[in-house]
Amino acid sequence: MTSMSIYPLSGVRILDFSTQMACPYGATLLAFMGAEVIKVESRRHLDSGRRSPGLSDDPNFLNMVPRFNDNNQCKLGVTVDLTNPDGRDIVRGLLRISDVAVANMRPGKMDKIGLGYADMRRERPDIIVLSLSSMGSRGPERQYAGYAGIFAALSGLSDATGYVGGQPTEGRATIDATAATTVAFATAAALFHRKQTGEGQHIDLSAREAVGALLGDMYLDYTMNGRNPTRKGNEDHVMAPHNVYPCADKDSWVSIAVGAEREWQAFCRVLGRPEWITDVKFADPHVRWKNRAALDSAVAEWTRTRKPYDVMHALQNAGVAAMPSMSSKDLFTDPHTQSRGIYKEFQHKALGKRTVIGPQWKFSATPLDTAKPAPLFGEHNGLVFNELLGMSRETVQEKEKSKVIY
């Protein structure tokens, strides 16, 4: 680590060999917390997030994919051909001055090119290496390929999500984001361990397990009761009402959940139905749940003549949980999210003005203000190779000419 601590991870340097979304965004979360993240790619090992249908691999187009920019904010970017021995020598130099390396190639691929965990430890004995893969580095399916929808299916999340009688629901970007969060969490924990002990380590992270580990009650119900929970739409297994209800405008919805008895009584009064409080069909949580279809129908009659925010304000003012089901437009115009400063704006050299989602955390002692665009392809070759590694300009030019820096 280097000196100076402004943000929680200031002084931590991370090499990022990852592509797509989950691992790159995990490294971005660490960059949000102040780590210096150097993204290593090349024309031979391009982050596929830079590619977009209809655009070529011309460098001018590689810098114009918004998805790449969103997933790789706040990083430096260098281009080194890892298949070239001279390129690997450059990377070994970077490893000697780095604290962490993250990658999401299939298990064994980094070892084959001489950049596995054992190889990295020879360059820096206390280095932390995180390897994210679909299935993990051990087990019979370790070489299987996967994308976000596959992780969701294998984790059990898809089977549990959807309507009764309907097909399992495919998960996409949020699944990658879940794995990304685990990348950041595990790396931060390993950094803490190294600070305490001086010991680095390898983190073997399976995206399938990162998602599945969050489905606690499903596992619990099966291991304790032998039940196999499956899709039940928006219903809860205890609470009623608990659903998403239609509102007055086209495709507008509000989510309502009533838990405690005091919430139920307040709910009845707001709806102008105080008689429900003593109605035998709704008298306690269990009978409300048994009669949830009739209850949902009656609640929908009330919401259907109102706007989502009007329902939210009326019920929230009475202490009942209710929120609009938001579209992307709603998210960016919602007064509360705007007041929280979630969205950041910056000027990207290829894309112009961009609005992105910034750090999700609000640290009191080290507030984060680290919004920066993703690197252009090879944007920081000079900074990293000349200033950090001490390579001469002539050497860098020679490596570029021989396509080592490529």
Side-chain angles (χ1 to χ4, degrees):
M1 295 186 184
T2 57
S3 60
M4 294 293 292
S5 290
I6 301 173
Y7 301 118
L9 295 183
S10 290
V12 173
R13 179 172 292 137
I14 298 173
L15 291 188
D16 175 12
F17 300 95
S18 65
T19 68
Q20 294 283 346
M21 178 179 174
C23 202
Y25 187 59
T28 289
L29 296 177
L30 295 163
F32 283 164
M33 290 187 274
E36 179 187 77
V37 180
I38 302 174
K39 189 173 185 68
V40 182
E41 54 183 337
S42 72
R43 291 180 186 280
R44 295 187 191 280
H45 180 65
L46 187 70
D47 186 332
S48 54
R50 285 192 183 276
R51 292 196 172 100
S52 187
L55 297 180
S56 75
D57 284 355
D58 182 283
N60 291 324
F61 293 120
L62 298 180
N63 297 322
M64 295 181 67
V65 180
R67 180 181 59 177
F68 175 87
N69 185 67
D70 287 6
N71 293 334
N72 291 277
Q73 298 171 55
C74 302
K75 298 180 184 179
L76 304 176
V78 299
T79 52
V80 183
D81 181 7
L82 301 181
T83 67
N84 188 301
D86 289 346
R88 294 196 289 273
D89 282 343
I90 292 175
V91 168
R92 291 186 184 99
L94 288 172
L95 287 167
R96 288 192 283 274
I97 59 171
S98 298
D99 303 284
V100 178
V102 299
N104 61 345
M105 298 181 192
R106 290 195 192 185
K109 189 169 182 179
M110 291 292 279
D111 299 89
K112 286 183 179 178
I113 60 174
L115 292 174
Y117 175 54
D119 304 298
M120 292 186 184
R121 281 194 72 194
R122 279 193 284 275
E123 307 303 327
R124 170 118 191 199
D126 64 347
I127 197 165
I128 294 163
V129 178
L130 183 141
S131 304
L132 175 66
S133 59
S134 298
M135 311 296 175
S137 67
R138 291 180 289 119
E141 299 171 357
R142 61 192 288 271
Q143 292 295 337
Y144 283 12
Y147 288 98
I150 303 295
F151 307 153
L154 286 171
S155 70
L157 178 61
S158 291
D159 186 67
T161 308
Y163 288 99
V164 176
Q167 63 185 19
T169 300
E170 181 186 9
R172 295 196 177 181
T174 53
I175 301 301
D176 278 329
T178 301
T181 303
T182 309
V183 167
F185 171 79
T187 303
L191 283 166
F192 180 78
H193 173 78
R194 193 182 74 169
K195 185 176 182 180
Q196 300 293 99
T197 67
E199 181 182 46
Q201 59 186 303
H202 178 242
I203 303 168
D204 172 16
L205 177 58
S206 156
R208 167 187 184 171
E209 293 165 9
V211 178
L214 302 179
L215 306 181
D217 60 337
M218 285 183 59
Y219 295 129
L220 193 65
D221 204 6
Y222 179 75
T223 56
M224 288 188 66
N225 306 314
R227 293 192 294 248
N228 190 22
T230 187
R231 298 172 291 287
K232 54 179 180 286
N234 297 313
E235 293 179 354
D236 184 72
H237 63 285
V238 174
M239 299 166 68
H242 185 289
N243 215 323
V244 178
Y245 300 91
C247 291
D249 295 333
K250 182 181 179 182
D251 197 25
S252 64
W253 305 81
V254 65
S255 176
I256 300 172
V258 177
E261 198 60 23
R262 66 178 182 283
E263 295 172 5
W264 166 247
Q265 294 175 10
F267 177 78
C268 295
R269 286 191 283 269
V270 171
L271 266 65
R273 304 298 296 268
E275 70 275 15
W276 285 357
I277 297 173
T278 54
D279 189 321
V280 293
K281 298 192 301 296
F282 307 133
D284 63 54
H286 181 62
V287 295
R288 285 200 290 277
W289 188 85
K290 288 180 65 177
N291 294 302
R292 61 191 181 283
L295 183 55
D296 280 343
S297 179
V299 173
E301 283 184 24
W302 182 77
T303 60
R304 195 171 280 117
T305 59
R306 291 165 171 80
K307 294 180 179 297
Y309 274 99
D310 292 340
V311 174
M312 178 189 80
H313 292 309
L315 290 176
Q316 290 283 0
N317 287 337
V320 178
M323 292 295 292
S325 179
M326 291 190 173
S327 65
S328 294
K329 178 183 177 182
D330 295 333
L331 289 170
F332 278 89
T333 57
D334 180 69
H336 180 78
T337 54
Q338 288 285 348
S339 72
R340 296 276 296 171
I342 294 174
Y343 307 111
K344 304 291 183 183
E345 290 186 351
F346 50 63
Q347 198 71 21
H348 188 276
K349 292 179 181 176
L351 294 168
K353 183 180 178 181
R354 291 280 297 132
T355 301
V356 298
I357 298 174
Q360 300 92 324
W361 315 279
K362 311 297 179 189
F363 290 120
S364 62
T366 54
L368 306 175
D369 186 19
T370 54
K372 295 177 184 174
L376 305 181
F377 188 68
E379 180 179 357
H380 302 101
N381 282 352
L383 171 68
V384 173
F385 300 140
N386 296 140
E387 297 184 23
L388 292 184
L389 287 185
M391 296 169 63
S392 68
R393 293 183 184 278
E394 292 74 18
T395 301
V396 171
Q397 290 172 354
E398 178 190 328
K399 300 295 184 187
E400 289 174 340
K401 189 176 180 181
S402 58
K403 296 186 177 180
V404 172
I405 295 174
Y406 182 56

Coordinates of all heavy atoms in Angstrom, one line a residue, residues 159 215-230 232 237-238 289:
D159 N -36.0 -20.2 -10.1 CA -37.1 -21.1 -9.7 C -38.1 -20.5 -8.7 O -39.2 -20.9 -8.7 CB -36.5 -22.5 -9.2 CG -37.6 -23.5 -9.0 OD1 -38.2 -23.9 -9.9 OD2 -37.9 -23.8 -7.8
L215 N -30.3 -16.6 -0.8 CA -31.6 -17.1 -0.7 C -31.9 -17.9 0.5 O -32.4 -19.0 0.5 CB -31.8 -18.0 -2.0 CG -31.5 -17.4 -3.3 CD1 -31.8 -18.4 -4.4 CD2 -32.3 -16.2 -3.5
G216 N -31.5 -17.3 1.6 CA -31.5 -18.0 2.9 C -32.7 -18.8 3.3 O -32.7 -19.9 3.7
D217 N -33.9 -18.1 3.2 CA -35.1 -18.7 3.7 C -35.5 -19.9 2.8 O -36.2 -20.8 3.3 CB -36.3 -17.7 3.8 CG -36.6 -17.1 2.4 OD1 -35.7 -17.0 1.5 OD2 -37.7 -16.6 2.3
M218 N -35.2 -19.9 1.5 CA -35.5 -21.1 0.7 C -34.7 -22.3 1.2 O -35.3 -23.4 1.3 CB -35.0 -20.8 -0.8 CG -36.0 -19.9 -1.5 SD -35.5 -19.7 -3.2 CE -35.5 -21.4 -3.8
Y219 N -33.4 -22.1 1.4 CA -32.6 -23.3 2.0 C -33.2 -23.7 3.3 O -33.3 -24.9 3.6 CB -31.2 -22.9 2.1 CG -30.5 -22.5 0.8 CD1 -29.8 -21.4 0.6 CD2 -30.5 -23.4 -0.3 CE1 -29.1 -21.1 -0.6 CE2 -29.9 -23.2 -1.5 CZ -29.2 -22.0 -1.6 OH -28.6 -21.7 -2.8
L220 N -33.5 -22.7 4.1 CA -34.0 -23.0 5.5 C -35.3 -23.8 5.5 O -35.4 -24.8 6.2 CB -34.2 -21.7 6.2 CG -34.4 -21.8 7.7 CD1 -33.2 -22.3 8.4 CD2 -34.8 -20.4 8.3
D221 N -36.2 -23.5 4.6 CA -37.5 -24.2 4.5 C -37.3 -25.6 4.1 O -38.0 -26.5 4.6 CB -38.4 -23.4 3.5 CG -39.9 -23.7 3.8 OD1 -40.2 -24.4 4.8 OD2 -40.7 -23.3 3.0
Y222 N -36.3 -25.8 3.2 CA -36.1 -27.2 2.7 C -35.4 -28.0 3.8 O -35.8 -29.2 4.1 CB -35.3 -27.2 1.4 CG -35.0 -28.6 0.9 CD1 -36.0 -29.3 0.3 CD2 -33.8 -29.2 1.1 CE1 -35.8 -30.6 -0.1 CE2 -33.5 -30.5 0.7 CZ -34.5 -31.2 0.1 OH -34.3 -32.5 -0.3
T223 N -34.3 -27.4 4.4 CA -33.5 -28.2 5.3 C -34.3 -28.5 6.6 O -34.1 -29.5 7.2 CB -32.2 -27.5 5.6 OG1 -32.4 -26.2 6.1 CG2 -31.3 -27.4 4.4
M224 N -35.1 -27.6 7.0 CA -35.8 -27.7 8.3 C -37.2 -28.5 8.1 O -37.6 -29.3 8.9 CB -36.1 -26.4 8.9 CG -34.9 -25.7 9.5 SD -35.3 -24.2 10.5 CE -36.2 -25.0 11.8
N225 N -37.9 -28.1 7.0 CA -39.3 -28.6 6.9 C -39.5 -29.6 5.7 O -40.5 -30.2 5.5 CB -40.2 -27.4 6.7 CG -40.1 -26.4 7.8 OD1 -40.0 -26.8 8.9 ND2 -40.0 -25.1 7.4
G226 N -38.4 -29.8 4.9 CA -38.6 -30.7 3.7 C -39.4 -30.1 2.6 O -39.7 -30.8 1.7
R227 N -39.8 -28.8 2.7 CA -40.6 -28.2 1.7 C -39.7 -27.6 0.6 O -38.6 -27.2 0.9 CB -41.5 -27.1 2.3 CG -42.6 -27.5 3.2 CD -43.6 -26.4 3.5 NE -43.0 -25.3 4.3 CZ -43.3 -25.0 5.5 NH1 -44.2 -25.8 6.2 NH2 -42.7 -24.0 6.1
N228 N -40.2 -27.6 -0.6 CA -39.4 -27.1 -1.7 C -40.1 -25.8 -2.2 O -40.9 -25.9 -3.1 CB -39.3 -28.1 -2.8 CG -38.4 -27.7 -3.9 OD1 -37.5 -26.9 -3.7 ND2 -38.6 -28.3 -5.1
P229 N -39.8 -24.6 -1.7 CA -40.5 -23.4 -2.1 C -40.3 -23.1 -3.5 O -39.3 -23.3 -4.1 CB -39.8 -22.3 -1.2 CG -39.0 -23.0 -0.2 CD -38.7 -24.4 -0.8
T230 N -41.4 -22.6 -4.2 CA -41.3 -22.3 -5.6 C -42.1 -21.0 -5.8 O -42.4 -20.2 -4.9 CB -41.8 -23.4 -6.5 OG1 -41.6 -23.1 -7.8 CG2 -43.3 -23.6 -6.2
K232 N -44.4 -17.9 -6.3 CA -45.7 -17.5 -5.7 C -46.0 -16.0 -6.0 O -46.7 -15.3 -5.3 CB -45.8 -17.7 -4.2 CG -44.6 -17.1 -3.4 CD -44.8 -17.4 -1.9 CE -43.7 -16.8 -1.1 NZ -42.5 -17.5 -1.2
H237 N -45.5 -15.4 2.4 CA -46.0 -16.6 3.0 C -46.7 -16.3 4.3 O -47.2 -17.2 4.9 CB -44.9 -17.6 3.2 CG -43.8 -17.2 4.1 ND1 -42.8 -16.3 3.8 CD2 -43.5 -17.5 5.4 CE1 -42.0 -16.1 4.8 NE2 -42.4 -16.8 5.8
V238 N -46.6 -15.1 4.8 CA -47.3 -14.7 6.0 C -48.2 -13.4 5.9 O -49.3 -13.4 6.3 CB -46.2 -14.4 7.2 CG1 -46.9 -13.9 8.4 CG2 -45.5 -15.7 7.5
W289 N -54.5 -13.8 5.4 CA -53.7 -14.5 4.4 C -54.5 -15.6 3.7 O -54.4 -15.7 2.5 CB -52.5 -15.2 5.1 CG -51.5 -15.8 4.2 CD1 -50.5 -15.1 3.5 CD2 -51.5 -17.1 3.7 NE1 -49.8 -16.0 2.7 CE2 -50.4 -17.2 2.8 CE3 -52.2 -18.3 3.9 CZ2 -50.1 -18.4 2.1 CZ3 -51.9 -19.4 3.3 CH2 -50.8 -19.5 2.4

